[in-house]
């Protein structure tokens, strides 16, 4: 009540201030001076009243705005009295700014999270480069090609291919996009299709200016190459047995129609040639299947001793016919390896079969296994050694080529297709393993297989 009385008294004093000034000045100095001073007092009163009304209006608008913002934005009950000034008028604007900033910040964080999730979920390698051609970001799939992304580094340090780098430079100079195909030779040969797309003008020194996506087209390219190779190789290798079969069939239908002895001999040769063609087709199909999946390392766990024992038992009859003994020296604690059991069996089938074929009669073929040591501690070694005539050193680098034979006539006589060691090489490539060959004329040959022990990273040995 006393506050209201004080406010009322203040209003009366303000209203009577000009008249009081006029009367005082008039008695002291005169009418003219009183008029001037009273007008000045009236102006002061009008300014004070105008300021007061403005503040009241602003406070009213502030309270209305605060109420419109909802209960979360309400000020304490004492706020209208404490903020009955310009601060109260600024209050709703500050609240609106805070709410807008929070919404914008939440949207920005959500968009960044969504973008990172999308990049991480892309199955193909994805790499971000800035306007200086430096790698500034990558998803997990790209780590296999460029390693972890730490400090920005030039794309050439990760992918050294002239076609790829030229395409990157062209896009950074202003082209909207470009595609290029290139090959990687390590750890296994791959064909990749790279697509560059410009995502900004590259004005920010540290910002991403282009995006690079890599698509593995190895399977597609190998399928195309395998079709071509199959036609060329099969045509060449099948030509001789087919010509032999056709010649004997014509002979049996003609001059040897009634010759029982010739018919028996010719039918035996025809059976051998047909078996040779069947083995050739089987090996070509097996090689094609292995090459198709060569870039995907197997993840199974395989104990080598049972695999080698099974292969050796299957060859004992053939080895016994030449009085050849297959000796196995495999320790009980030989580590398991990471691989595909059927393909590993195919490796030792081909190596032991070759050893039995080319070893001298009345000799021994040995299979020795051991764990690696030192720098090769993560590897397992299996050695297949024969006591044959040996191989000249100039032939050793080419033994794993398709259809390469040191002695073509002897190989065909023994039923070889020329693909056995090529199959071994490609299976080991898929297993990220290695084949070493050593031989001396007159002393025999040694084939050493290196495989990754189970649980080791897929790095080439």
């Amino acid at each position: 009540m006393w506050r209201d009385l004080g406010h009322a008294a203040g209003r009366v004093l303000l209203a009577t201030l000009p008249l009081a000034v006029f009367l005082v000045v008039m008695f002291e100095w005169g009418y003219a001076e009183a008029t001037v001073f009273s007008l000045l007092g009236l102006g002061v009163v009008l300014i004070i009243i105008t300021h007061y009304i403005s503040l009241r209006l602003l406070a009213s608008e502030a309270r209305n705005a605060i109420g419109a913002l909802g209960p979360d934005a309400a000020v304490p009950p004492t706020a209208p009295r404490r903020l009955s000034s310009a601060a109260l008028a600024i209050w709703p604007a500050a609240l609106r700014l805070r709410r807008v900033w929070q919404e914008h910040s939440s949207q920005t964080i959500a968009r960044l999270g969504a973008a990172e999730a999308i990049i991480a979920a892309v199955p193909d390698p994805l790499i971000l480069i800035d306007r200086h051609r430096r790698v500034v970001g990558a998803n997990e799939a790209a780590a296999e090609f460029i390693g972890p992304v730490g400090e920005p580094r030039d794309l050439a340090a990760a992918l050294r291919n002239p076609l790829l780098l030229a395409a990157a430079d062209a896009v950074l100079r202003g082209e909207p996009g470009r595609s290029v195909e290139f090959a990687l030779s390590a750890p296994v040969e791959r064909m990749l299709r790279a697509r560059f797309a410009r995502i900004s003008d590259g004005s920010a020194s540290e910002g991403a200016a282009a995006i690079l996506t890599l698509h593995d087209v190895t399977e597609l390219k190998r399928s195309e190459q395998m079709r071509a190779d199959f036609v060329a190789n099969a045509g060449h290798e099948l030509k001789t047995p087919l010509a032999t079969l056709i010649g004997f069939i014509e002979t049996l239908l003609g001059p040897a129609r009634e010759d029982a002895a010739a018919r028996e001999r010719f039918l035996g040769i025809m059976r051998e040639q047909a078996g040779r063609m069947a083995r050739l087709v089987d090996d070509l199909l097996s090689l094609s299947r292995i090459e198709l999946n060569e870039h995907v390392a197997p993840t199974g766990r395989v104990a080598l001793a049972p695999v080698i024992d099974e292969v050796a038992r299957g060859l004992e009859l053939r080895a016994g016919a030449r009085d050849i003994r297959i000796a196995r020296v495999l320790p009980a604690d030989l580590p398991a390896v990471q691989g595909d059991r059927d393909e590993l069996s195919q490796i030792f089938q081909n190596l032991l079969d070759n050893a039995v074929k080319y070893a001298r009669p009345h000799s021994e073929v040995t299979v020795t296994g051991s764990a690696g040591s030192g720098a090769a501690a993560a590897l397992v070694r299996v050695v297949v050694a024969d006591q044959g005539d040996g191989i000249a050193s100039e032939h050793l680098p080419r033994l794993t080529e398709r259809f390469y034979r040191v002695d073509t006539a002897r190989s065909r006589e023994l039923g070889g297709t020329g693909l056995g060691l090529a199959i071994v090489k490609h299976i080991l490539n898929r297993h990220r393993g290695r084949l070493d060959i050593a031989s001396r004329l007159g002393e025999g040959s040694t084939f050493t297989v290196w495989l990754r022990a189970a649980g080791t990273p897929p790095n080439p040995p």
Side-chain angles (χ1 to χ4, degrees), residues 404-424:
Y404 184 82
R405 299 178 175 93
V406 176
D407 187 339
T408 302
R410 185 182 179 189
S411 174
R412 287 177 175 171
E413 179 184 351
L414 295 174
T417 62
L419 293 174
L421 292 179
I423 291 173
V424 169

Side-chain angles (χ1 to χ4, degrees), residues 27-43:
F27 283 110
E28 292 290 334
W29 294 325
Y31 179 80
E33 289 80 358
T35 303
V36 172
F37 277 99
S38 64
L39 289 175
L40 289 175
L42 180 61

Side-chain angles (χ1 to χ4, degrees), residues 347-348 350-352 354 379-384 396-401 419-438 445-451 461:
I347 288 176
F348 297 111
N350 287 339
L351 292 179
L352 285 172
N354 283 347
L379 303 176
V380 177
R381 180 179 63 180
V382 178
V383 180
V384 177
L396 297 182
R398 301 190 60 189
L399 285 181
T400 56
E401 293 181 11
L419 293 174
L421 292 179
I423 291 173
V424 169
K425 181 189 75 171
H426 285 286
I427 292 176
L428 287 174
N429 284 346
R430 182 178 181 232
H431 284 68
R432 309 300 187 256
R434 188 178 74 229
L435 175 67
D436 294 334
I437 305 174
S445 304
T446 301
F447 295 81
T448 304
V449 174
W450 296 91
L451 292 166

